[in-house]
């Protein structure tokens, strides 16, 4: 078809390109005059194709079409007028001239929101659905018959720009092309608009229409502000000055600790300025947070308004390379604005719009190799300010305030340690609302390390809401999977750089021997983060062949999606490693997290939180809440915004958690619980290696090991020699200060656990088991227990059935050659976390390992775990997997399309 395009803007230019691509002939373009030396993009695109371009200041005078304009228009002889975006009044002589007349694009679902400010009013009215209409032009204002409409959801924090960029612009181009195709095929409908539900909304070109009325709910305030973001800008009188508001979101946190009051005309109580914005209360008690304001024409971060030390920083002196980048970016500004650019040129005052911002961000990524957000452009609108902002990013800065917190400072292991002691919520360390603390005791000395803030139910709610906002509204939820992986790799690198500090904290807080802490507690944690960082961009669904519903052809695909907010509760035996096993998979899958570390060993979790900020993990993605299980843990299990819960701990507590998760909102649950892992040692084994593996299986990490061999079954013919060698080796174990490099066995984690182990040993003696070695607390400061060995343990004894979770070896004998009998005894337990077998007979090894009812079976080794191998139990040892690809499925949901 011969098409005339009447309108302006980049959008109209893209419609032009699509129509040309579809084979239509553009016979003329009618647009607005140049603004200074800046030509409209539509005119530039058409002129490059040698298409006739007409620039009319107006089409009529006093309601009458100008003859010279009509003559110029008729000279191109179009069959259809296409008006993608047109700000001028077009005479009916032009509208009705072509064979197919004229079609218009309008960014609302007509008949709702007729008028020039329709997208603004869609948001200001709180609409949940929006879209665009393509209609046949008539002599009314957006009243012509409908040809085509498309709809989309309005997201909670959509603005005019985000709606336009996400849907109105790309789908609008496609929609205009589709409408022209339907007309060309003679299939275009003409559906008369209903007047039911019709609205005509005023154009927002008068100042009084843009003033924010403050006697509304927080949701209404938010809708009004975002409806005018980024133009024309809702305003209030703040501190006696007209102040425009941008970047509105509903506030889900508590009262900021750094809040400063500021008066706003019309509010009964002051608004609150804080580091992340300006809090404005609604009449319903909820609050809106505004991140940016404009005062006296100057855009700034709302939190910086009136702040001490807010003077402008001294300009950076640019290197030779930075000067070259600045010159390239000046050329970009010239190309966008079509004017000579000076240091004081203002991007928006020179005529730039929202699509120009998108282009500039992409050009910065290409030329400076750094990423800016759209908001960064709004905050540095003058060219000189913009270059300074880019250079800060090029030098590794992010323009955010320096991260500070109240650190505990101690000297240990010949190093100065600094670590947090507060709750970590939404990217900041804060005090608990209830004022309660937990005493953190060094188990080697029984001395106080520090007091740590203890989270209340209210703190849990604040943290979960922060995680929820980060997932649904924040940068994390929008981030590319590969970029997410980059952040996790960076976090792993920081943990590696601080490994000696983390290992020292782990030793002080949990009693772990330093070398074990360095290699296993911290070393495997780093490996875990690196492993799952690599998975971030490899999580995908599949295409599935299905039977077609004839005559149609059907396509079925699946998508792997993150679940949302995840609650985690981890134990005290491997504080950092258990955090890493669960959280790394959780974040790799794209979730956000609130974790309660063990109340007796929270320090490495808090140090980890500090490192996560330095790695650039966005606020709200990771939240760390030391606290008690009965308050903090229970509140997390009960919370309705938590959609997945992961727990490592005892079976009785696991049952309570599972019940809470079911009764609250049927959370997805994974549980790694107690164990009583059997280790079967056959007479044909390498006895020296069996003794070594037996000692490791029980005494590694002073027995505080979930997969520790809870019971050793030794074949009769080697039993006595095995016991003799074990006792001999126990006598060589060096018990002492876990930071001493000669120490191989440290203190138990805390006093209550030590007392429980002493009671366990007493029960074994009382039941008639033979105490071969140890069994006593050492007569020295600290929670030290001798490695303990029992023999003659019968199947009905308490110590044969229940887990000690300490350095207590339980040895039972089994008759020579009775393979099936010992397997039955080994499986006669409600636990099934791990198991082991020592034999040089490969067939027997495969036979036994296949029949032991446990999630992991070690053959001729023990305690060998790896980040790539799934780990988890059977029966009352729980369900779900940590580590390996299987772990990702615990934190994903599958959608079939």
């Amino acid at each position: 078809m011969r098409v005339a395009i009447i309108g302006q803007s980049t959008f109209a230019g893209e419609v032009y390109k699509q129509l040309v691509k579809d084979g239509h002939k553009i016979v003329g373009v009618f647009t607005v005059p140049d603004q200074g030396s800046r030509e409209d993009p539509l005119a530039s695109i058409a002129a490059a194709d040698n298409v006739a371009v007409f620039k009319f200041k107006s089409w009529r005078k006093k309601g009458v079409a100008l003859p010279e304009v009509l003559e110029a228009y008729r000279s191109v002889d179009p069959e259809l007028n296409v008006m993608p975006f047109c700000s001028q009044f077009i005479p009916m002589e032009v509208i009705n001239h072509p064979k197919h007349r004229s079609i218009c694009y309008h960014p609302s679902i007509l008949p709702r929101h007729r008028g020039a400010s329709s997208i603004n009013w869609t948001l200001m009215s709180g609409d949940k659905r929006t879209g665009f209409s393509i209609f046949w032009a008539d002599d009314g204002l957006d009243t012509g018959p409908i040809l085509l409409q498309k709809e989309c959801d309005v997201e909670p924090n959509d603005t005019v720009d985000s709606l336009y960029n996400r849907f109105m612009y790309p789908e609008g181009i496609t929609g205009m092309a589709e409408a022209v195709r339907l007309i060309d095929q003679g299939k275009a409908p003409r559906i008369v608009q209903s007047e039911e539900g019709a609205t005509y909304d005023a154009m927002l070109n008068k100042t009084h229409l843009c003033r924010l009325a403050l006697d509304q709910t927080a949701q209404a305030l938010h809708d009004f502000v975002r409806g005018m973001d980024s133009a024309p800008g809702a305003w209030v009188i703040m501190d006696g000055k007209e102040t425009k508001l941008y970047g509105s979101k509903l506030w889900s946190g508590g009262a900021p600790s750094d809040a400063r009051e500021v008066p706003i005309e019309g509010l009964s109580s002051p608004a609150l300025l804080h580091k992340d914005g300006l809090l404005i209360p609604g009449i319903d008690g909820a609050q809106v947070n505004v991140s940016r304001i404009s005062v006296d024409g100057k855009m700034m971060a709302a939190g910086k308004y009136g702040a001490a030390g807010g003077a402008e920083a001294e300009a950076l002196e640019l290197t030779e390379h930075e000067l070259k980048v600045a010159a390239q970016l000046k050329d970009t500004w010239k190309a966008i604005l079509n004017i000579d650019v000076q240091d004081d040129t203002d991007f928006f005052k020179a005529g730039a719009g929202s699509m120009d911002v998108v282009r500039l961000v992409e050009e910065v990524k290409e030329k400076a190799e750094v990423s800016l957000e759209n908001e960064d452009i709004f905050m540095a609108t003058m060219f000189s300010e913009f270059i300074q902002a880019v250079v800060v990013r090029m030098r590794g800065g992010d323009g955010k305030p320096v991260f500070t917190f109240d650190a505990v400072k101690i000297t240990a292991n010949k190093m100065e340690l600094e670590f947090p002691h507060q709750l970590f919520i939404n990217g900041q360390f804060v005090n608990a609302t209830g004022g309660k603390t937990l005493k953190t005791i060094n188990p080697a000395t029984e001395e106080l390390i520090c007091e740590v803030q203890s989270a209340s139910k209210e703190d849990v709610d604040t943290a979960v809401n922060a995680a929820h906002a980060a997932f649904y509204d924040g940068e994390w939820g929008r981030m590319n999977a590969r970029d997410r992986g980059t952040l996790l790799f960076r976090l792993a690198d920081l943990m590696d750089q601080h490994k000696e500090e983390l290992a020292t904290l782990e030793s002080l807080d949990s009693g772990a021997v330093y070398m074990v802490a360095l290699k296993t507690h911290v070393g495997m944690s780093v490996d875990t983060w690196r492993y799952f960082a690599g998975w971030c961009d490899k999580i995908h669904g599949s295409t599935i062949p299905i039977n077609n519903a004839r005559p149609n052809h059907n396509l079925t695909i699946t998508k792997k999606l993150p679940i949302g907010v995840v609650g985690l509760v981890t134990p005290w035996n491997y504080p950092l490693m258990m955090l890493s096993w669960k959280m790394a998979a959780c974040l790799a899958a794209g979730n956000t997290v609130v974790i309660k570390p063990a109340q007796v060993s929270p320090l490495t979790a808090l140090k980890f939180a500090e490192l996560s900020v330095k790695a650039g993990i966005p606020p709200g993605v990771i939240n760390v809440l030391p606290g008690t299980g009965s308050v903090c843990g229970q509140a997390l299990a009960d919370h309705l915004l938590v959609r997945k819960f992961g727990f490592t701990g005892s079976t009785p507590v696991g049952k309570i958690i599972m019940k809470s998760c079911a009764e609250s909102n049927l959370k997805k649950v994974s549980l790694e619980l107690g164990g009583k892992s059997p280790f079967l040692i056959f007479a044909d084994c390498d006895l020296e290696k069996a003794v070594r593996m037996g000692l490791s299986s029980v005494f590694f990490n002073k027995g505080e090991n979930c997969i520790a061999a809870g019971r050793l079954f030794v074949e009769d013919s080697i039993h006595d020699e095995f016991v003799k060698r074990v006792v001999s080796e126990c006598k060589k174990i060096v018990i002492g200060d876990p930071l001493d490099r000669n120490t191989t066995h440290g203190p138990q984690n805390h006093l209550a656990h030590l007392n429980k182990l002493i009671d366990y040993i007493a029960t074994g003696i009382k039941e008639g088991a033979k105490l071969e070695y140890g069994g006593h607390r050492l007569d020295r400061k600290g929670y030290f227990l001798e490695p303990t060995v029992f023999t003659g343990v019968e199947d009905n004894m308490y110590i044969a059935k229940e887990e000690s979770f300490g350095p207590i070896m339980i040895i039972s004998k089994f008759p020579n050659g009775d393979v099936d009998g010992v397997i039955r005894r080994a499986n006669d337990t409600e636990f099934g976390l791990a198991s082991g077998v020592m034999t040089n007979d490969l067939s027997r090894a495969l036979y036994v390992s296949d029949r032991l009812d446990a999630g992991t079976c070690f053959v001729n080794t023990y305690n060998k775990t790896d980040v790539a191998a799934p780990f988890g139990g059977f029966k009352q040892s729980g369900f779900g997997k940590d580590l390996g690809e299987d772990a990702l499925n615990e934190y994903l949901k599958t959608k079939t399309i």
Side-chain angles (χ1 to χ4, degrees), residues 392-624:
V392 167
R393 286 295 175 93
M394 291 173 67
R395 296 182 182 183
D398 59 7
K400 298 175 183 176
V402 177
F403 178 65
T404 59
F405 59 90
D406 181 24
V408 175
K409 300 179 181 181
I410 62 173
T411 302
N413 202 21
K414 299 180 181 179
M415 65 179 75
E416 300 296 320
L417 300 176
E418 291 189 13
F419 53 90
H421 66 98
Q422 297 166 289
L423 313 182
F424 183 68
I425 300 175
N426 204 25
Q428 294 293 321
F429 286 101
V430 296
N431 288 332
T433 56
K436 294 185 178 180
T437 59
L438 303 167
K439 293 182 185 297
T440 301
I441 305 297
N442 182 341
T445 64
E446 302 182 46
E447 295 174 352
L448 179 71
I449 300 172
C450 67
E451 292 192 14
V452 172
Q453 294 289 311
S454 181
S456 66
K457 183 178 179 180
E458 291 72 25
D459 295 320
V460 171
D461 187 56
T462 301
V464 170
N465 277 289
H468 189 265
F471 182 80
Y472 288 101
D473 303 326
E475 179 186 355
W476 187 255
R478 300 188 298 269
M479 189 177 293
N480 293 326
R482 195 162 299 157
D483 294 336
R484 189 164 68 240
T486 299
L487 291 181
L488 298 190
F489 274 121
R490 191 180 302 159
L491 177 56
D493 290 344
L494 281 168
M495 293 170 70
D496 199 17
Q497 292 166 24
H498 290 262
K499 61 187 175 185
E500 290 86 2
E501 188 177 356
L502 288 166
T504 301
L505 275 178
E506 198 88 325
S507 291
L508 292 173
D509 202 19
S510 75
V513 172
Y514 176 73
M515 297 311 296
V516 172
L518 191 62
K519 181 178 183 298
T520 302
H521 290 235
V522 179
M524 193 172 186
S525 295
V526 173
D527 289 347
T528 303
W529 284 99
R530 285 182 174 149
Y531 174 80
F532 283 109
W535 266 109
C536 287
D537 62 353
K538 300 167 189 69
I539 298 169
H540 57 80
S542 57
T543 305
I544 303 170
I546 63 168
N547 288 347
N548 293 316
R550 296 180 180 177
N552 299 319
H553 290 277
N554 300 114
L555 171 69
T556 296
I557 61 173
T558 62
K559 296 181 73 175
K560 299 284 189 179
L561 303 173
I563 294 171
V565 180
V566 174
L568 298 176
V569 173
T570 49
W572 42 259
N573 58 328
Y574 294 103
L576 184 63
M577 194 171 81
M578 291 295 99
L579 174 152
S580 300
W581 279 23
K582 294 190 183 299
M583 194 188 293
C586 172
L587 296 189
N591 301 283
T592 57
V593 66
V594 180
I595 185 170
K596 187 198 88 66
Q599 68 186 73
V600 292
S601 303
L603 297 185
T604 47
L606 292 171
K607 185 66 181 179
F608 166 85
E610 175 196 337
L611 296 179
S612 76
V613 176
K614 294 178 179 178
I617 305 294
V621 174
I622 296 172
N623 302 273
V624 181

Side-chain angles (χ1 to χ4, degrees), residues 246-319:
Y246 305 96
S248 166
K249 288 186 179 180
L250 290 173
W251 180 251
S252 57
S257 57
D258 61 339
R260 295 174 285 120
E261 294 186 350
V262 62
I264 292 182
E265 190 176 296
L267 277 182
S268 58
S269 58
L272 298 176
L273 288 163
H274 62 111
K275 67 178 183 59
D276 292 322
L278 169 69
L279 285 177
I280 302 174
I283 58 174
D284 55 350
Q287 294 174 302
V288 168
N289 191 60
V290 173
S291 62
R292 306 186 310 278
I293 59 175
S294 176
V295 184
D296 296 329
K298 175 70 174 177
M299 185 77 79
M300 68 180 74
K304 292 184 178 180
Y305 178 80
E312 290 186 13
E314 185 177 342
L316 299 173
E317 185 173 338
L318 273 56
T319 66

Side-chain angles (χ1 to χ4, degrees), residues 39-342:
E39 186 176 54
D40 187 82
L42 173 61
S44 301
I45 293 167
D49 288 345
N50 294 316
V51 171
V53 176
F54 303 86
K55 301 175 183 178
F56 298 143
K57 185 175 182 180
S58 116
W59 290 71
R60 58 185 187 173
K61 185 176 183 179
K62 296 182 180 180
V64 178
L66 296 171
E68 64 274 20
V69 171
L70 284 179
E71 183 180 353
Y73 166 75
R74 288 170 179 159
S75 70
V76 302
D77 192 24
E79 296 176 279
L80 174 70
N81 292 330
V82 173
M83 295 188 279
F85 173 72
C86 183
S87 62
Q88 297 175 309
F89 285 101
I90 309 301
M92 289 306 297
E93 292 93 328
V94 172
I95 296 292
N96 293 329
H97 175 80
K99 171 185 173 183
H100 297 295
R101 301 201 173 182
S102 304
I103 59 170
C104 289
Y105 170 92
H106 184 80
S108 80
I109 301 299
L110 293 172
R112 188 161 171 79
H113 301 306
R114 292 170 176 162
S117 301
S118 55
I119 309 183
N120 307 81
W121 283 102
T122 294
L123 295 168
M124 291 159 61
S125 302
D127 292 1
K128 302 301 182 187
R129 297 276 295 172
T130 188
F132 62 82
S133 305
I134 297 170
F135 66 95
W136 299 95
D138 64 4
D139 59 356
L141 186 61
D142 307 325
T143 57
I146 302 297
L147 190 161
L148 179 150
Q149 290 183 321
K150 292 189 178 183
E151 297 187 24
C152 70
D153 290 329
V154 177
E155 301 295 337
N157 290 307
D158 265 332
T159 63
V160 173
D161 284 350
S162 68
L163 264 180
Y164 184 69
N165 295 333
R166 173 167 59 85
F167 185 80
M168 301 292 189
Y169 184 89
E171 293 298 325
I173 294 164
T174 304
M176 289 298 284
E178 183 181 346
V180 173
R181 185 166 58 252
L182 289 171
I183 294 169
D184 192 30
Q185 294 170 349
K187 298 178 180 179
R190 292 175 179 265
I191 304 168
V192 176
Q193 287 193 41
S194 169
E195 288 304 306
E196 184 178 346
T199 62
Y200 172 76
D201 301 313
M203 185 175 180
L204 297 172
N205 59 352
K206 295 180 180 176
T207 304
H208 74 275
L209 293 174
C210 304
R211 182 166 188 173
L212 177 62
L214 296 162
D215 55 344
Q216 304 181 80
T217 64
Q219 181 66 58
L221 295 175
H222 171 56
D223 289 339
F224 192 89
V225 173
R226 68 187 178 124
M228 297 200 184
D229 191 337
S230 58
W235 62 274
V236 294
I237 300 295
M238 184 177 81
D239 216 10
K241 300 176 182 177
E242 183 177 308
T243 304
K244 290 189 175 183
L245 312 174
Y246 305 96
S248 166
K249 288 186 179 180
L250 290 173
W251 180 251
S252 57
S257 57
D258 61 339
R260 295 174 285 120
E261 294 186 350
V262 62
I264 292 182
E265 190 176 296
L267 277 182
S268 58
S269 58
L272 298 176
L273 288 163
H274 62 111
K275 67 178 183 59
D276 292 322
L278 169 69
L279 285 177
I280 302 174
I283 58 174
D284 55 350
Q287 294 174 302
V288 168
N289 191 60
V290 173
S291 62
R292 306 186 310 278
I293 59 175
S294 176
V295 184
D296 296 329
K298 175 70 174 177
M299 185 77 79
M300 68 180 74
K304 292 184 178 180
Y305 178 80
E312 290 186 13
E314 185 177 342
L316 299 173
E317 185 173 338
L318 273 56
T319 66
E320 185 176 344
H321 171 66
E322 290 163 351
L323 287 169
K324 288 180 180 178
V325 171
Q328 291 175 331
L329 292 175
K330 178 173 279 192
D331 289 341
T332 298
W333 276 49
K334 288 179 182 177
I336 292 173
L337 301 174
N338 201 20
I339 60 172
D340 288 331
V341 174
Q342 308 299 325

